Amino acid sequence: MQSLFFNMKLKLVILSTLLGLYIQQTIIAQNTNAINWLSFSQLEDSLAIKPKKVFINFYADWCVYCKKKDKVAFKDKSVISKLNKDYYAVKMNAETTDTITFGNETFINKEIGKKRNPTHQIPLLLASRKNIPFSLPATVILNEQFIISERFFEYLDSEKLLDLLSRK
């Protein structure tokens, strides 16, 4: 009787271990199949712990090229791997109505009710060009000191995106 109880207990332990390993592998697989997008508050916390380059993707729901970038470039395994390994990645709807606090400052969308496609303060600050209206898609890359190193205002396919992510 004691041997039967021991065998059942052993089988239960083995089954539990296998289930745990399966769940762990599933979580790891999911992390490598998707970009680990952060919010600005998560970014601030992460930067405080470990400085790292920052990749910011500004988009809008109506932007066709933004949707194409989601379906193509951001599904590429090499792009996902590079972003997750070497960058903090932030994805922000440029027309959000959210109030965002970052670096002890509060940012809002001051254009609500004034423009058809109101743009939030953060994309206007980080992705504006002199004498050129804000446009999408907009990508901003910041170095480890949180200083803008590059900005792009075009659709970036997987190849172009991987190339720019691989620059030093």
Side-chain angles (χ1 to χ4, degrees):
M1 185 68 152
Q2 204 171 20
S3 176
L4 179 64
F5 176 72
F6 178 76
N7 283 341
M8 288 179 65
K9 189 174 180 182
L10 181 62
K11 287 179 183 178
L12 185 60
V13 168
I14 291 171
L15 184 61
S16 297
T17 303
L18 290 174
L19 182 62
L21 289 172
Y22 173 75
I23 291 170
Q24 183 180 5
Q25 290 294 4
T26 303
I27 290 169
I28 290 169
Q30 287 174 349
N31 286 342
T32 59
N33 290 327
I35 296 168
N36 298 322
W37 295 111
L38 302 176
S39 66
F40 273 94
S41 61
Q42 291 169 321
L43 174 63
E44 187 168 24
D45 293 342
S46 297
L47 287 169
I49 295 167
K50 181 184 177 199
K52 202 173 180 181
K53 292 185 226 173
V54 178
F55 175 91
I56 303 174
N57 178 61
F58 294 111
Y59 74 95
D61 294 334
W62 51 263
C63 174
V64 175
Y65 287 110
C66 300
K67 291 178 184 183
K68 184 176 180 182
K69 198 157 57 165
D70 279 342
K71 289 180 183 174
V72 178
F74 293 149
K75 298 291 184 206
D76 183 277
K77 291 193 185 302
S78 298
V79 170
I80 293 167
S81 176
K82 188 71 175 170
L83 275 173
N84 288 343
K85 180 181 171 221
D86 297 336
Y87 291 83
Y88 291 124
V90 176
K91 187 174 183 179
M92 179 183 176
N93 184 337
E95 297 177 353
T96 186
T97 59
D98 294 346
T99 298
I100 298 171
T101 302
F102 185 83
N104 296 323
E105 290 189 50
T106 301
F107 301 94
I108 60 171
N109 190 330
K110 293 181 179 181
E111 295 182 350
I112 296 172
K114 298 176 184 174
K115 288 189 168 186
R116 181 172 173 228
N117 297 105
T119 306
H120 196 276
Q121 278 182 302
I122 290 177
L124 289 175
L125 288 169
L126 296 176
S128 287
R129 298 171 281 177
K130 189 174 183 174
N131 300 322
I132 300 174
F134 177 80
S135 63
L136 292 170
T139 303
V140 178
I141 297 179
L142 300 103
N143 64 20
E144 292 86 350
Q145 291 77 39
F146 207 71
I147 297 169
I148 296 173
S149 58
E150 295 186 87
R151 296 184 297 172
F152 301 90
F153 303 93
E154 62 187 285
Y155 169 72
L156 299 167
D157 63 21
S158 305
E159 189 177 316
K160 283 184 185 177
L161 189 53
L162 193 56
D163 180 55
L164 75 92
L165 292 173
S166 298
R167 295 179 190 171
K168 297 272 176 188

